[in-house]
């Protein structure tokens, strides 16, 4: 299967859980770099919120890559990322 490209605002799963679903896109647009780098936020993993308000939680293996990008970013809030993911196929039994 071909990789799927997603683009949107990065937000940690901890902040996803503590915000109302109706406010998620706005929270992601204003989510701070400092918050995304807090220890418990890094440990919770990350998601991408697209402009059409869809949330995709990223695989835990993506966390180190997201941390690297966010650390290197000069953007203080509303960090946008583009990620590619492939659907994991389960072999037939």
């Amino acid at each position: 299967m071909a990789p799927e490209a997603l683009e949107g605002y990065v937000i940690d799963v901890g902040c996803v859980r503590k915000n109302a679903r109706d406010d998620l896109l706005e929270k992601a647009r204003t989510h701070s770099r400092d918050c995304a780098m807090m220890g418990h936020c890094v440990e919770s993993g990350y998601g991408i919120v697209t402009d059409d308000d869809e949330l995709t939680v990223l695989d835990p293996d993506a966390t180190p890559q997201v941390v690297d990008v966010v650390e290197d970013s000069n953007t203080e809030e509303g960090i946008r990322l583009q990620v590619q993911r492939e659907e994991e196929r389960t072999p037939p039994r």
Side-chain angles (χ1 to χ4, degrees), residues 10-17 36 39-47 57-60 62-63 66:
V10 66
I11 188 167
D12 59 86
V13 174
C15 285
V16 168
R17 289 183 180 137
H40 60 281
C41 294
V42 172
E43 290 174 11
S44 72
Y46 294 95
V57 176
L58 301 176
D59 186 281
T63 297
V66 172

Side-chain angles (χ1 to χ4, degrees), residues 9-50:
Y9 299 95
V10 66
I11 188 167
D12 59 86
V13 174
C15 285
V16 168
R17 289 183 180 137
K18 73 178 185 182
N19 287 292
R21 179 64 185 102
D22 291 347
D23 298 334
L24 190 57
L25 179 57
E26 185 56 31
K27 293 295 183 185
R29 284 181 176 150
T30 60
H31 189 247
S32 74
R33 180 180 174 277
D34 290 343
C35 180
M37 292 290 88
M38 290 180 159
H40 60 281
C41 294
V42 172
E43 290 174 11
S44 72
Y46 294 95
I48 299 290
V49 180
T50 61

